[in-house]
Structure formats: C-alpha cells, structure tokens
Amino acid sequence: GQETVSSGLKKPLVPASLNLSEYFKQFLFPQNECELHDFRLSFSQLKWDNWIVAPHRYSPRYCKGDCPRAVGHRYGSPVHTMVQNIIYEKQLDSSVPRPSCVPAKYSPLSVLTIEPDGSIAYKEYEDMIATRCTCR
Amino acid sequence: SLASRGEAQIAASAEWEPGAEPWSLLQPLDGRDRSGLLSPLFKVLCDGQGGVPRLQPDSRALRYMKRLYKAYATKEGIPKSNRSHLYNTVRLFTPHVQHDKQASVDQVTGTVRSVDLLFNLDRVTAVEHLLKSVLLYTFNTSVSFPSAANCVCHLVLKEPASSSSKTPPRAPHSVTFKSQFELKKKYKWVEVDVTALLQPLVASDKRSVHVSVTLTCVKDQRQHPSAQVSALNLARPSLLLYLNDTSAQARHRWYSLRYKGSPSQAPDQGGLPACPIGEEAAKGVRSSRHRHRR
C-alpha cells in the first residue's frame, strides 16, 4: 500500500498560500468521509398532502461520502468490505466498485393517510428514517 | 411468514406483459390495490402523480385520528416507544347510513336512537389481522345531559344473504352490549368495544359489515333526579379497527419490545382496555411536558 498512499500525497492538495496547520488538519479530519446527512421534505412539496395528513415534515436522511480504505469497527463494516476495497485498489476486476456509503440502521415512521374510499389509516412503517451509515 | 410467502408467490407467478406498469408486479394476486405506502410510491415513480383522487373524510373522524396520531407518534413522526400496544395499524371507517330513526325522548325510558349502518372495509388487507374493534361515538359537548348516564348499546349484525347455495342463510346476529357512559365536558368521544362481534366477520374476509345500532341512555337518577332528559345529539358511530399488519414494510413492535428485554404481551381479544382516547392522550401529553420541565 506504500505506493498508493504516496500517490495520494502527490496530488497538489494544498495551494502554497495555505498555512501548515490547515494542511495537517486535512489528515486529522478526513474530508468528505461517509456520514449521515440531513434532508427534510414536506409532503406538500410533493403535492401529497391531500392524502398524507401526518407527519407534516419527513426527514428520511441519507448517507454520503467516501469510505476510508481500512474500514474497521467505526463503521461496523464486515471484513468483506475490506476485501472488496483490496480488489478495487488492486484492480483485480474493473467491475468491482469501491465499497459504498449506505444506511446501516433505520427508525420507523408513523403515517396518517386518507384512503381512496375516504377512510383514514394510521400505520407504522419500518425502516423509513436512516439513523446510521456504514461502508459495505 | 405469510406475507413473505405471498410476495414470493407474486414474483414467481406474475406474468410480465409488455406495457404493464412495473408496480403492478407488487399487486396482490386478487388485483385489489391494497398495500399501504408502497404502491402509491411506485405509482409516483411511474407517472409522477400524487396518488388517486380521494373521497374527503368526515371532519370529526379526521380530528379524532389526528389526535390519535399525536398520542402515538412524536412531532418527527417517529412512533413513541412508551406505547405497549401491539397493533401497528388503526383504521377508521365512517358508515353509509341505510336508515336513521331520529332520537325519541322519554322522561322514563330516556333517549333512544337507532341507526342502520353499512361499513365498507375494503381497505383492510389480507395481512392486516384484527386485534380490536370499537364503535366510536362522538358527543356534542353542548348537550344538557347530567354528568352520568346509563347507556345500553344494542347491536344487530345483519349478514348479507350468502351468495352460495351451500351455506343456509342464518338469522341475523343479535348481540347486546351494556356499558355505562360518563359524560364530562372534556370527553368528546366514547368507544364501545365490539371486537367479539366483528372478529369472526373480518377474519372470514368479509369486507361489508351491515349493523343496526340502537343506543338508549337514561339519566342517572341518583345524581340529578330533577335533570330533564333532552335529545342526545348523537353523531352516527364510526368504526375503529386496531390491526396488526404482518407485511415486511410494517413496523413490528413486538420485535423491538423483545429486544428491549420485556416479554411481549400476547393480545387476548377482550383484554385490550377500551378507554376514551381523550383521557389517554391528555395523560401522555401531560407527563411528557412534565419531563421536559425537569
């Protein structure tokens, strides 16, 4: 892996004018790493508020970012993820992508809807709000 | 589970016709569009519309269900974990009225109101299993009624003549319930538990319930002997069904209860407490506000 790391370093990440502490902060706090992002939508935006009475706002959230190379306990990733990363980096098979940043845990959502026949339904749905991300 | 086998059945036997809409693959075999959120979501993906045109519900029913929603879910829409009930679906149906005999008022017999109701339960899917059903009466708080009254609710379940010649037509069920209502200013709703009456009907896949309801309320002599009995402004009762949806998309509360280490409670049909939602909801709201302050 030495040669990969160094090739990473070769990229001109820092313009000359930035001071050193900024430069090192990059390594302490990796940029754009896999994490949970907030996203709120209101059903009126989708013009669904004529049949979804509650909740007024729904924040499904989503996962986005790069997966670190040595994925370990921090993401709860299985060993398979590391194997896939090695296949990707060694370019053993060009169709094998780098592991993806995906939701690992969800929480349910209660929805109050008006049915087509005018009856009203309260239902609890599983896995509607992402609460944690993982790499796999 | 039954649901997952059903889904496998759909995938295995579905014929892919050219031009068929992709979400039709998820349709249950009997072709009725039944399953909760998934099919409307698919429909949006396919033709971008926000769902089919809907009949507007009764405003009282909608108010009741909004109150139920607040009692069961947080502002963000997450089901409250302190609820110990096992049902993950509550459906409220407003009736089609066959005929409505006006309330008769008598100083001795009290207020009598009988109404013939027809409930269309088509929206209840095969994977939604009935745990409890109640008739929901709304009272107009402006009635001049004594604070307590004895009410007798008499129900006659009329089963449609069976279409098949094999099963002989049965005499209509006649089941009498007796329950006492306390009318206080803050109660707007009262639930009358009819689980025992409807359980066999819903379990046998019948989706049309025809029932005649007669409610007789007599003032409680002990409290207000001089109070005049006036006509109870009774709205027609709606039907509330508490169901457990076993499909993969539905939340299975017993799952989270089990993993929280508390034994899951098997529902016995009559054991679920029927209590006015107003009182229960108010209690829920009060305790959380208290916690906030502390």
Side-chain angles (χ1 to χ4, degrees), chain B residues 5 28 32 43 67 79 86 93-94 108 129 164 169-170 192 196 218 229 239 242 255 265-266 283 286 292:
Chain B
R5 217 177 14 229
R32 278 185 282 179
K43 224 169 168 342
R67 210 184 158 88
L86 287 179
F93 297 89
T94 44
V108 174
H129 306 283
S164 72
R170 281 195 298 188
V192 179
V218 179
V229 177
L239 180 64
Y242 296 85
Y255 184 74
Q265 296 152 349
K283 212 185 309 168
R286 238 187 336 262
H292 256 301

Side-chain angles (χ1 to χ4, degrees), chain A residues 84-103:
Chain A
Q84 183 173 337
N85 212 19
I86 291 171
I87 292 171
Y88 170 75
E89 289 195 356
K90 295 278 177 226
Q91 293 171 355
L92 301 181
D93 178 339
S94 61
S95 67
V96 175
R98 178 192 287 273
S100 307
C101 171
V102 291

Side-chain angles (χ1 to χ4, degrees), chain A residues 47-48 50-51 53-55 107-112 114-126 128-129, chain B residues 36-37 40-41 44 50 54-55 57 66 69 72 77 79 88-92 123 128 245 249-253:
Chain A
K47 295 194 178 33
W48 287 2
N50 64 331
W51 63 283
V53 176
S107 70
L109 179 72
S110 296
V111 182
L112 191 65
I114 297 174
E115 302 280 45
D117 64 0
S119 64
I120 304 167
Y122 164 86
K123 283 185 93 60
E124 296 174 354
Y125 290 100
E126 207 60 88
M128 292 289 282
I129 300 174
Chain B
L37 263 188
L41 289 181
V44 169
R54 292 156 195 273
L55 296 176
K66 281 182 180 175
Y69 184 87
Y72 285 6
N88 53 22
T89 300
V90 182
R91 290 187 178 279
L92 189 142
R123 299 306 297 173
E128 292 178 350
D245 182 337
Q249 292 88 11
R251 174 164 194 243
H252 300 290
R253 193 171 284 271

Side-chain angles (χ1 to χ4, degrees), chain A residues 28-94:
Chain A
L28 281 177
F29 299 103
Q31 307 296 318
N32 197 29
E33 201 168 279
C34 173
E35 63 179 352
L36 190 63
H37 292 262
D38 216 357
F39 178 78
R40 278 175 184 273
L41 67 86
S42 71
F43 291 112
S44 51
Q45 279 172 287
L46 296 169
K47 295 194 178 33
W48 287 2
D49 48 341
N50 64 331
W51 63 283
I52 295 187
V53 176
H56 294 300
R57 277 186 301 283
Y58 166 38
S59 50
R61 302 192 190 130
Y62 65 95
C63 296
K64 190 178 100 175
D66 296 335
C67 285
R69 298 180 54 247
V71 188
H73 65 282
R74 205 159 59 113
Y75 285 99
S77 302
V79 175
H80 171 278
T81 308
M82 204 178 288
V83 170
Q84 183 173 337
N85 212 19
I86 291 171
I87 292 171
Y88 170 75
E89 289 195 356
K90 295 278 177 226
Q91 293 171 355
L92 301 181
D93 178 339
S94 61

